[in-house]
Amino acid sequence: DGEANGGEGPSVPRKRAEVILAENPPAYQVGSRIRVFYNARDWFVGHLTEFDEASGEWEIVYGEGDRDAMRLPDADAVLLPPPELLVQAVEDASADIRRGLKALARRVDTPPGDVAKIDDMKKRVVSLNRTAKEGLRQGKVGRVSESDWSIESVREKLCSKVRARLQAPDIALSDVSWAKVMLVADTLPGEEVPEDAEDKEVPDGD
């Protein structure tokens, strides 16, 4: 547990993505990513490239190379977190789900069949985590939905993909067990876990 400080004593908990975003909100500056409701039709993601002091407008370059200029702030434009922060949000969500799986394994009421699958489930979560982070690092841009490219969105998408993967025939996790996993996963580290999701040691015995 001391990895973060060279193995000397307990590590300092890493700040979660949403905490970092609250402390350092995106700013209008060259390189910032922005989501724009373009031509009153669709949301597109681009980045700020230049500010024209004479006109008071920012130049925006979109994924396909299209350019636009607009005054900011604007109701049709939303600054986005940097890709590295979304990557951390995926990492946070993956860790939360693995924490939920670990808690599920310790519950006395978890079906033995589900317990036997948990190690494989954790590996699949790690695999999906890696894939999601790589996509974000590539900085894919273009047409998006209104909710895309936010911390909440990437977490929701990862959880959805994990659940779909854990419902595969060879590793199907019951709806009840998945709900218990998410009760823990949706509780931030250090917060009180809902009573129905508390870890319960499996009693010794036959």
mmCIF file of all heavy atoms in Angstrom, residues 97-127:
data_model
loop_
_atom_site.group_PDB
_atom_site.id
_atom_site.type_symbol
_atom_site.label_atom_id
_atom_site.label_comp_id
_atom_site.label_asym_id
_atom_site.label_seq_id
_atom_site.Cartn_x
_atom_site.Cartn_y
_atom_site.Cartn_z
ATOM 1 N N ILE A 97 -15.508 -0.547 -9.502
ATOM 2 C CA ILE A 97 -16.176 -1.808 -9.827
ATOM 3 C C ILE A 97 -15.403 -2.983 -9.235
ATOM 4 O O ILE A 97 -15.996 -3.921 -8.684
ATOM 5 C CB ILE A 97 -16.327 -1.961 -11.352
ATOM 6 C CG1 ILE A 97 -17.271 -0.883 -11.885
ATOM 7 C CG2 ILE A 97 -16.875 -3.351 -11.696
ATOM 8 C CD1 ILE A 97 -17.330 -0.815 -13.398
ATOM 9 N N ARG A 98 -14.074 -2.940 -9.324
ATOM 10 C CA ARG A 98 -13.281 -4.028 -8.739
ATOM 11 C C ARG A 98 -13.465 -4.075 -7.224
ATOM 12 O O ARG A 98 -13.497 -5.156 -6.621
ATOM 13 C CB ARG A 98 -11.804 -3.857 -9.100
ATOM 14 C CG ARG A 98 -11.535 -3.988 -10.594
ATOM 15 C CD ARG A 98 -10.058 -4.233 -10.897
ATOM 16 N NE ARG A 98 -9.187 -3.227 -10.332
ATOM 17 C CZ ARG A 98 -8.860 -2.093 -10.947
ATOM 18 N NH1 ARG A 98 -9.363 -1.814 -12.145
ATOM 19 N NH2 ARG A 98 -8.041 -1.241 -10.384
ATOM 20 N N ARG A 99 -13.604 -2.895 -6.619
ATOM 21 C CA ARG A 99 -13.870 -2.848 -5.177
ATOM 22 C C ARG A 99 -15.222 -3.483 -4.869
ATOM 23 O O ARG A 99 -15.386 -4.203 -3.874
ATOM 24 C CB ARG A 99 -13.817 -1.383 -4.720
ATOM 25 C CG ARG A 99 -14.035 -1.144 -3.245
ATOM 26 C CD ARG A 99 -13.529 0.249 -2.857
ATOM 27 N NE ARG A 99 -13.999 1.281 -3.766
ATOM 28 C CZ ARG A 99 -15.175 1.923 -3.638
ATOM 29 N NH1 ARG A 99 -15.992 1.605 -2.648
ATOM 30 N NH2 ARG A 99 -15.521 2.878 -4.488
ATOM 31 N N GLY A 100 -16.201 -3.230 -5.735
ATOM 32 C CA GLY A 100 -17.513 -3.832 -5.559
ATOM 33 C C GLY A 100 -17.476 -5.338 -5.711
ATOM 34 O O GLY A 100 -18.139 -6.066 -4.963
ATOM 35 N N LEU A 101 -16.685 -5.822 -6.669
ATOM 36 C CA LEU A 101 -16.547 -7.269 -6.856
ATOM 37 C C LEU A 101 -15.872 -7.920 -5.651
ATOM 38 O O LEU A 101 -16.249 -9.013 -5.218
ATOM 39 C CB LEU A 101 -15.749 -7.559 -8.124
ATOM 40 C CG LEU A 101 -16.475 -7.284 -9.453
ATOM 41 C CD1 LEU A 101 -15.486 -7.345 -10.618
ATOM 42 C CD2 LEU A 101 -17.610 -8.292 -9.652
ATOM 43 N N LYS A 102 -14.873 -7.224 -5.106
ATOM 44 C CA LYS A 102 -14.188 -7.751 -3.922
ATOM 45 C C LYS A 102 -15.151 -7.860 -2.749
ATOM 46 O O LYS A 102 -15.145 -8.851 -2.000
ATOM 47 C CB LYS A 102 -13.010 -6.838 -3.566
ATOM 48 C CG LYS A 102 -12.183 -7.321 -2.393
ATOM 49 C CD LYS A 102 -11.005 -6.383 -2.152
ATOM 50 C CE LYS A 102 -10.161 -6.854 -0.971
ATOM 51 N NZ LYS A 102 -9.011 -5.937 -0.729
ATOM 52 N N ALA A 103 -15.993 -6.833 -2.588
ATOM 53 C CA ALA A 103 -16.981 -6.867 -1.510
ATOM 54 C C ALA A 103 -17.985 -7.981 -1.739
ATOM 55 O O ALA A 103 -18.411 -8.660 -0.794
ATOM 56 C CB ALA A 103 -17.696 -5.514 -1.420
ATOM 57 N N LEU A 104 -18.367 -8.195 -2.997
ATOM 58 C CA LEU A 104 -19.326 -9.263 -3.316
ATOM 59 C C LEU A 104 -18.767 -10.622 -2.925
ATOM 60 O O LEU A 104 -19.495 -11.482 -2.402
ATOM 61 C CB LEU A 104 -19.638 -9.241 -4.816
ATOM 62 C CG LEU A 104 -20.654 -10.277 -5.309
ATOM 63 C CD1 LEU A 104 -22.047 -9.959 -4.753
ATOM 64 C CD2 LEU A 104 -20.680 -10.320 -6.842
ATOM 65 N N ALA A 105 -17.471 -10.819 -3.142
ATOM 66 C CA ALA A 105 -16.851 -12.108 -2.819
ATOM 67 C C ALA A 105 -16.868 -12.393 -1.329
ATOM 68 O O ALA A 105 -16.827 -13.556 -0.907
ATOM 69 C CB ALA A 105 -15.420 -12.132 -3.339
ATOM 70 N N ARG A 106 -16.939 -11.341 -0.503
ATOM 71 C CA ARG A 106 -16.896 -11.530 0.947
ATOM 72 C C ARG A 106 -18.273 -11.644 1.582
ATOM 73 O O ARG A 106 -18.375 -11.860 2.789
ATOM 74 C CB ARG A 106 -16.132 -10.365 1.591
ATOM 75 C CG ARG A 106 -14.656 -10.326 1.226
ATOM 76 C CD ARG A 106 -13.875 -9.497 2.235
ATOM 77 N NE ARG A 106 -14.293 -8.115 2.226
ATOM 78 C CZ ARG A 106 -13.662 -7.139 1.573
ATOM 79 N NH1 ARG A 106 -12.600 -7.427 0.850
ATOM 80 N NH2 ARG A 106 -14.084 -5.901 1.621
ATOM 81 N N ARG A 107 -19.323 -11.475 0.797
ATOM 82 C CA ARG A 107 -20.673 -11.532 1.358
ATOM 83 C C ARG A 107 -21.097 -12.985 1.568
ATOM 84 O O ARG A 107 -20.859 -13.849 0.732
ATOM 85 C CB ARG A 107 -21.668 -10.831 0.427
ATOM 86 C CG ARG A 107 -21.504 -9.332 0.339
ATOM 87 C CD ARG A 107 -22.583 -8.752 -0.561
ATOM 88 N NE ARG A 107 -23.905 -9.039 -0.019
ATOM 89 C CZ ARG A 107 -24.660 -8.145 0.631
ATOM 90 N NH1 ARG A 107 -24.215 -6.917 0.802
ATOM 91 N NH2 ARG A 107 -25.844 -8.481 1.081
ATOM 92 N N VAL A 108 -21.755 -13.231 2.667
ATOM 93 C CA VAL A 108 -22.214 -14.597 2.962
ATOM 94 C C VAL A 108 -23.379 -14.997 2.075
ATOM 95 O O VAL A 108 -23.650 -16.196 1.913
ATOM 96 C CB VAL A 108 -22.624 -14.730 4.450
ATOM 97 C CG1 VAL A 108 -21.434 -14.504 5.349
ATOM 98 C CG2 VAL A 108 -23.755 -13.751 4.803
ATOM 99 N N ASP A 109 -24.088 -14.027 1.503
ATOM 100 C CA ASP A 109 -25.268 -14.346 0.710
ATOM 101 C C ASP A 109 -25.001 -14.362 -0.796
ATOM 102 O O ASP A 109 -25.935 -14.472 -1.591
ATOM 103 C CB ASP A 109 -26.404 -13.367 1.020
ATOM 104 C CG ASP A 109 -26.002 -11.907 0.791
ATOM 105 O OD1 ASP A 109 -24.806 -11.658 0.518
ATOM 106 O OD2 ASP A 109 -26.879 -11.027 0.897
ATOM 107 N N THR A 110 -23.735 -14.274 -1.188
ATOM 108 C CA THR A 110 -23.407 -14.336 -2.608
ATOM 109 C C THR A 110 -23.420 -15.790 -3.073
ATOM 110 O O THR A 110 -22.765 -16.634 -2.458
ATOM 111 C CB THR A 110 -22.027 -13.728 -2.887
ATOM 112 O OG1 THR A 110 -22.024 -12.359 -2.474
ATOM 113 C CG2 THR A 110 -21.690 -13.805 -4.375
ATOM 114 N N PRO A 111 -24.138 -16.106 -4.138
ATOM 115 C CA PRO A 111 -24.157 -17.490 -4.633
ATOM 116 C C PRO A 111 -22.752 -17.994 -4.924
ATOM 117 O O PRO A 111 -21.939 -17.267 -5.509
ATOM 118 C CB PRO A 111 -24.991 -17.385 -5.925
ATOM 119 C CG PRO A 111 -25.836 -16.165 -5.731
ATOM 120 C CD PRO A 111 -24.990 -15.212 -4.942
ATOM 121 N N PRO A 112 -22.432 -19.215 -4.515
ATOM 122 C CA PRO A 112 -21.087 -19.763 -4.762
ATOM 123 C C PRO A 112 -20.682 -19.682 -6.222
ATOM 124 O O PRO A 112 -19.512 -19.456 -6.537
ATOM 125 C CB PRO A 112 -21.214 -21.218 -4.295
ATOM 126 C CG PRO A 112 -22.306 -21.185 -3.273
ATOM 127 C CD PRO A 112 -23.273 -20.161 -3.749
ATOM 128 N N GLY A 113 -21.663 -19.828 -7.118
ATOM 129 C CA GLY A 113 -21.342 -19.751 -8.543
ATOM 130 C C GLY A 113 -20.814 -18.387 -8.934
ATOM 131 O O GLY A 113 -19.918 -18.276 -9.778
ATOM 132 N N ASP A 114 -21.348 -17.332 -8.328
ATOM 133 C CA ASP A 114 -20.869 -15.980 -8.617
ATOM 134 C C ASP A 114 -19.487 -15.756 -8.020
ATOM 135 O O ASP A 114 -18.626 -15.128 -8.641
ATOM 136 C CB ASP A 114 -21.850 -14.934 -8.085
ATOM 137 C CG ASP A 114 -23.071 -14.775 -8.987
ATOM 138 O OD1 ASP A 114 -23.055 -15.340 -10.098
ATOM 139 O OD2 ASP A 114 -24.024 -14.094 -8.579
ATOM 140 N N VAL A 115 -19.281 -16.239 -6.805
ATOM 141 C CA VAL A 115 -17.975 -16.079 -6.145
ATOM 142 C C VAL A 115 -16.871 -16.701 -6.989
ATOM 143 O O VAL A 115 -15.785 -16.130 -7.146
ATOM 144 C CB VAL A 115 -17.994 -16.714 -4.735
ATOM 145 C CG1 VAL A 115 -16.592 -16.679 -4.125
ATOM 146 C CG2 VAL A 115 -18.983 -15.989 -3.832
ATOM 147 N N ALA A 116 -17.157 -17.872 -7.574
ATOM 148 C CA ALA A 116 -16.149 -18.589 -8.349
ATOM 149 C C ALA A 116 -15.744 -17.825 -9.612
ATOM 150 O O ALA A 116 -14.671 -18.063 -10.168
ATOM 151 C CB ALA A 116 -16.678 -19.972 -8.727
ATOM 152 N N LYS A 117 -16.588 -16.913 -10.061
ATOM 153 C CA LYS A 117 -16.319 -16.188 -11.305
ATOM 154 C C LYS A 117 -15.640 -14.840 -11.086
ATOM 155 O O LYS A 117 -15.236 -14.176 -12.051
ATOM 156 C CB LYS A 117 -17.632 -15.946 -12.053
ATOM 157 C CG LYS A 117 -18.392 -17.202 -12.411
ATOM 158 C CD LYS A 117 -19.768 -16.838 -12.952
ATOM 159 C CE LYS A 117 -20.617 -18.065 -13.239
ATOM 160 N NZ LYS A 117 -21.988 -17.709 -13.653
ATOM 161 N N ILE A 118 -15.508 -14.415 -9.843
ATOM 162 C CA ILE A 118 -15.099 -13.033 -9.585
ATOM 163 C C ILE A 118 -13.694 -12.708 -10.090
ATOM 164 O O ILE A 118 -13.461 -11.622 -10.635
ATOM 165 C CB ILE A 118 -15.254 -12.712 -8.085
ATOM 166 C CG1 ILE A 118 -16.759 -12.539 -7.788
ATOM 167 C CG2 ILE A 118 -14.483 -11.459 -7.699
ATOM 168 C CD1 ILE A 118 -17.082 -12.282 -6.343
ATOM 169 N N ASP A 119 -12.734 -13.625 -9.941
ATOM 170 C CA ASP A 119 -11.379 -13.341 -10.426
ATOM 171 C C ASP A 119 -11.383 -13.085 -11.929
ATOM 172 O O ASP A 119 -10.714 -12.160 -12.421
ATOM 173 C CB ASP A 119 -10.438 -14.503 -10.103
ATOM 174 C CG ASP A 119 -10.000 -14.502 -8.646
ATOM 175 O OD1 ASP A 119 -10.177 -13.460 -7.982
ATOM 176 O OD2 ASP A 119 -9.509 -15.539 -8.166
ATOM 177 N N ASP A 120 -12.145 -13.902 -12.667
ATOM 178 C CA ASP A 120 -12.232 -13.702 -14.108
ATOM 179 C C ASP A 120 -12.924 -12.380 -14.421
ATOM 180 O O ASP A 120 -12.550 -11.661 -15.359
ATOM 181 C CB ASP A 120 -13.001 -14.856 -14.748
ATOM 182 C CG ASP A 120 -12.896 -14.858 -16.276
ATOM 183 O OD1 ASP A 120 -11.981 -14.192 -16.800
ATOM 184 O OD2 ASP A 120 -13.716 -15.531 -16.924
ATOM 185 N N MET A 121 -13.922 -12.029 -13.616
ATOM 186 C CA MET A 121 -14.617 -10.760 -13.810
ATOM 187 C C MET A 121 -13.661 -9.583 -13.656
ATOM 188 O O MET A 121 -13.691 -8.637 -14.440
ATOM 189 C CB MET A 121 -15.753 -10.636 -12.793
ATOM 190 C CG MET A 121 -16.880 -11.617 -12.988
ATOM 191 S SD MET A 121 -18.106 -11.432 -11.663
ATOM 192 C CE MET A 121 -19.125 -12.876 -11.954
ATOM 193 N N LYS A 122 -12.816 -9.631 -12.636
ATOM 194 C CA LYS A 122 -11.867 -8.539 -12.410
ATOM 195 C C LYS A 122 -10.946 -8.363 -13.609
ATOM 196 O O LYS A 122 -10.637 -7.239 -14.025
ATOM 197 C CB LYS A 122 -11.044 -8.814 -11.151
ATOM 198 C CG LYS A 122 -11.825 -8.707 -9.851
ATOM 199 C CD LYS A 122 -10.924 -9.018 -8.666
ATOM 200 C CE LYS A 122 -11.677 -8.935 -7.352
ATOM 201 N NZ LYS A 122 -10.826 -9.283 -6.198
ATOM 202 N N LYS A 123 -10.507 -9.493 -14.206
ATOM 203 C CA LYS A 123 -9.626 -9.423 -15.371
ATOM 204 C C LYS A 123 -10.348 -8.760 -16.542
ATOM 205 O O LYS A 123 -9.758 -7.976 -17.290
ATOM 206 C CB LYS A 123 -9.167 -10.829 -15.752
ATOM 207 C CG LYS A 123 -8.240 -11.480 -14.726
ATOM 208 C CD LYS A 123 -7.882 -12.895 -15.124
ATOM 209 C CE LYS A 123 -7.016 -13.561 -14.061
ATOM 210 N NZ LYS A 123 -6.716 -14.979 -14.414
ATOM 211 N N ARG A 124 -11.624 -9.070 -16.691
ATOM 212 C CA ARG A 124 -12.380 -8.480 -17.799
ATOM 213 C C ARG A 124 -12.584 -6.981 -17.574
ATOM 214 O O ARG A 124 -12.579 -6.203 -18.525
ATOM 215 C CB ARG A 124 -13.711 -9.202 -17.963
ATOM 216 C CG ARG A 124 -13.539 -10.672 -18.340
ATOM 217 C CD ARG A 124 -14.819 -11.308 -18.776
ATOM 218 N NE ARG A 124 -14.624 -12.741 -19.026
ATOM 219 C CZ ARG A 124 -15.375 -13.465 -19.844
ATOM 220 N NH1 ARG A 124 -16.361 -12.893 -20.505
ATOM 221 N NH2 ARG A 124 -15.156 -14.751 -20.009
ATOM 222 N N VAL A 125 -12.781 -6.589 -16.337
ATOM 223 C CA VAL A 125 -12.918 -5.168 -16.025
ATOM 224 C C VAL A 125 -11.624 -4.434 -16.384
ATOM 225 O O VAL A 125 -11.651 -3.347 -16.977
ATOM 226 C CB VAL A 125 -13.260 -4.954 -14.541
ATOM 227 C CG1 VAL A 125 -13.206 -3.469 -14.186
ATOM 228 C CG2 VAL A 125 -14.641 -5.514 -14.220
ATOM 229 N N VAL A 126 -10.485 -5.024 -16.036
ATOM 230 C CA VAL A 126 -9.192 -4.417 -16.350
ATOM 231 C C VAL A 126 -9.017 -4.293 -17.859
ATOM 232 O O VAL A 126 -8.518 -3.273 -18.366
ATOM 233 C CB VAL A 126 -8.045 -5.244 -15.743
ATOM 234 C CG1 VAL A 126 -6.688 -4.760 -16.266
ATOM 235 C CG2 VAL A 126 -8.076 -5.160 -14.218
ATOM 236 N N SER A 127 -9.443 -5.311 -18.610
ATOM 237 C CA SER A 127 -9.319 -5.288 -20.064
ATOM 238 C C SER A 127 -10.177 -4.172 -20.663
ATOM 239 O O SER A 127 -9.717 -3.412 -21.535
ATOM 240 C CB SER A 127 -9.743 -6.642 -20.644
ATOM 241 O OG SER A 127 -9.722 -6.617 -22.054
#
